């Protein structure tokens, strides 16, 4: 009889061990997380407006027993889940959506419309960058960790961040004494969906993974007048033409060709009518780089070129304003290598690929600048058959496209399994 009882106990323990393994647990608990993803996809909120989203994330964290604080750096949410002594690991997801009108045709597509705070015009709002996946994933990981405390030891900080798309959310949370109030994490991990990578695959890269991002607004000044009498004017549109060409010479002639750098003029606004030379012309630039040294060179050169062009026209000095600066994301090499080993163990080495560096921006890098070793990996989000067809048609939509959407079940299966296993390996009991 005693032998039978021991056998039953061992079988029960074995069953619990299997259930506690991330892959099996995720498979059993995936449907409600997919449903949550679709709910979040249908209710996007723009940067600095994530009130309802933050309330929902706070509710989810409270449900797993975390100590929850809202209103950190705006609509930021912090959840602390303690499980004995050990390191503190921060897991981060971003919450904001984009002023993009969705054209995916999905049954759960966003139909939300608001006034764009930048120009006052009505715009659709869409999670076109996968932040809905990031949030749903982190809720799923929180549920797993709360249900399987016997598998890890330490403290997990769940951080739901606002305003990533505007590059200001991480800065605002740090400025609200994030680490002073809740403790400075020993490590921090996040992931980003990848629209060019098949579901079931993940990518990693140590070192510089995403770029410094700066926005530049240049107002060229002149002297307006009639288009038939240009000699009596100082033409700011002509200045803009010269400046656009001059700006391209910065990267090609002033930056070491072994360094990455981009200067793009994304908008130009000037004039009202065919035969009127205006007083001003405005240019909007995005500037990308990796190192602080290249970043400084680019910004100095842009201002210098703008002033030089104005001087050549005997025009008033232009206004040059820099804004929305986001530092490059530098993945801690040792932490990234450790996470890559976990990814290979979890998914198999054929499903773990080196990720190319991106000139896109991501303010998760600010937490690294604040002294926390960080790693952001990439998760494939388009199933292989659909991605193969899109590639054949040369029609793969990038993030921020109104046509981009992840395949949620496959994407979340991979993201929840890998992130949960990463936590277990970093917070070994």
């Amino acid at each position: 009889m005693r032998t039978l009882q021991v056998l039953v106990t061992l079988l029960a323990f074995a069953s619990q061990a299997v259930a506690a393994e991330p892959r099996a647990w995720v498979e059993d608990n995936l449907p409600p997380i997919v449903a949550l993803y679709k709910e979040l996809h249908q209710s996007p909120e723009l940067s600095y407006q994530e009130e309802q989203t933050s309330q929902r994330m706070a509710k989810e964290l409270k449900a797993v027993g975390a100590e929850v604080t809202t209103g950190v750096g705006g609509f930021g949410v912090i959840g602390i889940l303690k499980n004995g002594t050990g390191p503190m690991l921060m897991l981060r997801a971003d919450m904001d959506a984009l002023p993009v009108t969705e054209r995916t045709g999905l049954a759960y597509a966003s139909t939300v419309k608001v006034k764009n705070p930048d120009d006052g015009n009505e715009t659709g709002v869409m999670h076109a960058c996968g932040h809905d996946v990031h949030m749903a994933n982190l809720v799923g990981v929180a549920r797993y960790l709360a249900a399987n405390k016997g598998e890890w030891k330490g403290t997990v900080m769940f951080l739901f961040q606002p305003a990533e798309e505007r590059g200001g959310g991480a800065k605002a949370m740090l400025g609200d004494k994030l680490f002073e109030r809740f403790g400075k994490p020993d490590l921090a991990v996040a992931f980003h969906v990848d629209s060019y990578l098949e579901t079931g695959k993940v990518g990693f890269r140590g070192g510089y993974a995403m770029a410094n991002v700066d926005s530049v607004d240049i107002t060229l000044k002149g002297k307006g007048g009639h288009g038939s009498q240009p000699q009596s004017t100082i033409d700011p549109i002509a200045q803009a033409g010269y400046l656009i060409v001059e700006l391209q010479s910065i990267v090609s002639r002033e930056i070491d060709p072994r360094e990455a750098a981009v200067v793009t003029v994304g908008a130009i606004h000037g004039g009202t009518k065919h035969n009127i030379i205006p007083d001003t012309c405005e240019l909007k630039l995005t500037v990308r780089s990796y190192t602080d040294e290249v970043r400084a060179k680019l910004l100095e050169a842009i201002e210098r070129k703008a002033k030089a062009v104005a001087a050549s026209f005997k025009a008033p000095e232009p206004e040059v304003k820099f804004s929305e600066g986001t530092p490059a994301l530098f993945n801690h090499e040792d932490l990234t290598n450790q996470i890559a080993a976990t990814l290979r163990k979890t998914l198999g080495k054929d499903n773990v690929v080196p990720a190319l560096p991106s000139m896109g921006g991501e303010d998760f890098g600010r937490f690294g600048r604040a002294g926390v070793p960080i790693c952001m990996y990439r998760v494939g989000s388009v199933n292989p058959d659909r991605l193969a067809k899109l590639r054949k048609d040369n029609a793969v939509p990038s993030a921020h496209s109104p046509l981009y959407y992840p395949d949620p079940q496959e994407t979340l299966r991979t993201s929840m399994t890998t992130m949960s296993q990463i936590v277990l390996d970093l917070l070994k009991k």
Side-chain angles (χ1 to χ4, degrees), residues 105-177:
L106 294 169
Y108 53 88
S110 168
T111 58
V112 174
K113 293 184 178 180
V114 300
K115 283 191 175 182
N116 191 329
D118 289 338
D119 56 22
N121 296 324
E122 187 177 69
T123 180
V125 184
M126 177 190 177
H127 273 298
C129 200
H131 295 186
D132 42 3
V133 175
H134 302 170
M135 288 186 284
N137 168 82
L138 198 51
V139 170
V141 172
R143 291 180 183 178
Y144 170 79
L145 294 175
N148 293 278
K149 285 190 172 183
E151 304 300 312
W152 60 281
K153 186 178 181 182
T155 299
V156 178
M157 174 192 290
F158 300 99
L159 186 150
F160 288 93
Q161 183 204 301
E164 185 277 330
E165 298 292 359
R166 298 297 295 267
K171 183 178 181 180
M173 293 188 78
L174 288 166
D176 200 9
K177 300 186 182 301

Side-chain angles (χ1 to χ4, degrees), residues 198-349:
E198 298 96 333
T199 51
K201 293 183 179 292
V202 295
F204 73 96
R205 183 176 188 82
Y208 286 113
M210 302 191 80
N212 296 308
V213 179
D214 292 282
S215 296
V216 187
D217 292 271
I218 301 173
T219 302
L220 296 165
K221 301 177 180 180
K223 179 183 177 184
H226 201 288
S228 66
Q229 298 176 9
Q231 75 280 3
S232 65
T233 71
I234 300 174
D235 191 341
I237 292 179
Q239 291 180 58
Y242 278 93
L243 180 56
I244 290 170
V245 174
E246 283 292 315
L247 290 173
Q248 303 315 305
S249 71
I250 297 173
V251 174
S252 65
R253 288 297 176 267
E254 297 193 31
I255 302 300
D256 187 325
R258 294 168 295 183
E259 298 280 4
V262 174
V263 177
T264 294
V265 180
I268 176 170
H269 301 285
T272 57
K273 202 174 184 299
H274 305 73
N275 61 348
I276 298 174
I277 293 174
D279 289 321
T280 62
C281 184
E282 298 177 354
L283 282 70
K284 296 181 180 294
L285 286 62
T286 188
V287 185
R288 311 290 171 119
S289 59
Y290 286 132
T291 69
D292 290 345
E293 293 75 18
V294 170
R295 184 184 196 182
K297 286 182 179 180
L298 291 170
L299 300 184
E300 181 279 328
I302 289 168
E303 188 166 15
R304 168 167 40 86
K305 295 279 189 182
K307 291 179 178 179
V309 166
S312 73
F313 276 78
K314 295 183 178 179
E317 187 172 287
E319 292 181 9
V320 182
K321 297 180 179 179
F322 303 101
S323 62
E324 296 186 355
T326 302
L329 191 157
F330 188 92
N331 279 333
H332 189 275
E333 298 275 8
D334 291 341
L335 176 60
T336 301
N337 289 336
Q338 185 175 353
I339 286 174
T342 293
L343 295 173
R344 294 189 189 99
K345 175 182 70 175
T346 306
L347 301 178
K349 64 180 182 179

